[in-house]
mmCIF file of all heavy atoms in Angstrom:
data_model
loop_
_atom_site.group_PDB
_atom_site.id
_atom_site.type_symbol
_atom_site.label_atom_id
_atom_site.label_comp_id
_atom_site.label_asym_id
_atom_site.label_seq_id
_atom_site.Cartn_x
_atom_site.Cartn_y
_atom_site.Cartn_z
ATOM 1 N N SER A 11 -4.804 3.634 17.782
ATOM 2 C CA SER A 11 -4.836 4.756 18.732
ATOM 3 C C SER A 11 -5.285 6.040 18.054
ATOM 4 O O SER A 11 -6.025 6.845 18.622
ATOM 5 C CB SER A 11 -3.460 4.948 19.361
ATOM 6 O OG SER A 11 -2.487 5.227 18.357
ATOM 7 N N ALA A 12 -4.834 6.236 16.790
ATOM 8 C CA ALA A 12 -5.235 7.441 16.059
ATOM 9 C C ALA A 12 -6.724 7.416 15.751
ATOM 10 O O ALA A 12 -7.413 8.432 15.833
ATOM 11 C CB ALA A 12 -4.434 7.565 14.777
ATOM 12 N N MET A 13 -7.235 6.226 15.396
ATOM 13 C CA MET A 13 -8.658 6.113 15.113
ATOM 14 C C MET A 13 -9.476 6.304 16.375
ATOM 15 O O MET A 13 -10.576 6.868 16.352
ATOM 16 C CB MET A 13 -8.954 4.748 14.500
ATOM 17 C CG MET A 13 -8.330 4.552 13.128
ATOM 18 S SD MET A 13 -8.633 2.903 12.467
ATOM 19 C CE MET A 13 -10.405 2.951 12.236
ATOM 20 N N ALA A 14 -8.958 5.854 17.511
ATOM 21 C CA ALA A 14 -9.686 5.990 18.776
ATOM 22 C C ALA A 14 -9.852 7.440 19.175
ATOM 23 O O ALA A 14 -10.835 7.821 19.805
ATOM 24 C CB ALA A 14 -8.969 5.222 19.873
ATOM 25 N N GLU A 15 -8.850 8.273 18.780
ATOM 26 C CA GLU A 15 -8.930 9.689 19.126
ATOM 27 C C GLU A 15 -10.146 10.360 18.489
ATOM 28 O O GLU A 15 -10.679 11.334 19.001
ATOM 29 C CB GLU A 15 -7.647 10.399 18.689
ATOM 30 C CG GLU A 15 -6.421 10.002 19.519
ATOM 31 C CD GLU A 15 -5.175 10.721 19.034
ATOM 32 O OE1 GLU A 15 -5.281 11.497 18.055
ATOM 33 O OE2 GLU A 15 -4.106 10.510 19.633
ATOM 34 N N ASP A 16 -10.571 9.836 17.314
ATOM 35 C CA ASP A 16 -11.743 10.422 16.644
ATOM 36 C C ASP A 16 -13.008 10.248 17.457
ATOM 37 O O ASP A 16 -13.952 11.022 17.343
ATOM 38 C CB ASP A 16 -11.932 9.769 15.268
ATOM 39 C CG ASP A 16 -10.785 10.106 14.324
ATOM 40 O OD1 ASP A 16 -10.111 11.127 14.575
ATOM 41 O OD2 ASP A 16 -10.575 9.347 13.350
ATOM 42 N N PHE A 17 -13.045 9.199 18.268
ATOM 43 C CA PHE A 17 -14.255 8.886 19.029
ATOM 44 C C PHE A 17 -14.120 9.213 20.510
ATOM 45 O O PHE A 17 -15.031 8.996 21.275
ATOM 46 C CB PHE A 17 -14.598 7.397 18.870
ATOM 47 C CG PHE A 17 -14.878 7.001 17.450
ATOM 48 C CD1 PHE A 17 -13.890 6.444 16.663
ATOM 49 C CD2 PHE A 17 -16.127 7.219 16.889
ATOM 50 C CE1 PHE A 17 -14.148 6.098 15.346
ATOM 51 C CE2 PHE A 17 -16.392 6.867 15.579
ATOM 52 C CZ PHE A 17 -15.399 6.306 14.798
ATOM 53 N N ALA A 18 -12.948 9.718 20.902
ATOM 54 C CA ALA A 18 -12.741 10.041 22.316
ATOM 55 C C ALA A 18 -13.581 11.256 22.682
ATOM 56 O O ALA A 18 -13.678 12.210 21.908
ATOM 57 C CB ALA A 18 -11.265 10.317 22.592
ATOM 58 N N PRO A 19 -14.212 11.256 23.872
ATOM 59 C CA PRO A 19 -14.998 12.419 24.283
ATOM 60 C C PRO A 19 -14.101 13.625 24.495
ATOM 61 O O PRO A 19 -12.958 13.484 24.929
ATOM 62 C CB PRO A 19 -15.630 11.950 25.615
ATOM 63 C CG PRO A 19 -14.726 10.876 26.109
ATOM 64 C CD PRO A 19 -14.189 10.190 24.892
ATOM 65 N N PRO A 20 -14.570 14.818 24.141
ATOM 66 C CA PRO A 20 -13.736 16.012 24.311
ATOM 67 C C PRO A 20 -13.495 16.303 25.784
ATOM 68 O O PRO A 20 -14.304 15.966 26.639
ATOM 69 C CB PRO A 20 -14.590 17.113 23.675
ATOM 70 C CG PRO A 20 -15.993 16.613 23.785
ATOM 71 C CD PRO A 20 -15.897 15.122 23.642
ATOM 72 N N LYS A 21 -12.362 16.918 26.058
ATOM 73 C CA LYS A 21 -12.077 17.330 27.424
ATOM 74 C C LYS A 21 -13.093 18.398 27.831
ATOM 75 O O LYS A 21 -13.581 19.158 27.004
ATOM 76 C CB LYS A 21 -10.659 17.885 27.524
ATOM 77 C CG LYS A 21 -9.566 16.860 27.241
ATOM 78 C CD LYS A 21 -8.196 17.505 27.331
ATOM 79 C CE LYS A 21 -7.100 16.503 27.010
ATOM 80 N NZ LYS A 21 -5.760 17.133 27.065
ATOM 81 N N LEU A 22 -13.375 18.451 29.115
ATOM 82 C CA LEU A 22 -14.367 19.410 29.605
ATOM 83 C C LEU A 22 -13.957 20.830 29.248
ATOM 84 O O LEU A 22 -14.782 21.645 28.843
ATOM 85 C CB LEU A 22 -14.532 19.268 31.121
ATOM 86 C CG LEU A 22 -15.565 20.188 31.780
ATOM 87 C CD1 LEU A 22 -16.939 19.927 31.186
ATOM 88 C CD2 LEU A 22 -15.580 19.973 33.286
ATOM 89 N N ALA A 23 -12.645 21.126 29.393
ATOM 90 C CA ALA A 23 -12.166 22.473 29.081
ATOM 91 C C ALA A 23 -12.373 22.800 27.606
ATOM 92 O O ALA A 23 -12.777 23.900 27.248
ATOM 93 C CB ALA A 23 -10.691 22.598 29.457
#
Side-chain angles (χ1 to χ4, degrees):
S11 60
M13 294 177 66
E15 290 179 359
D16 294 338
F17 299 96
K21 295 179 182 179
L22 181 60

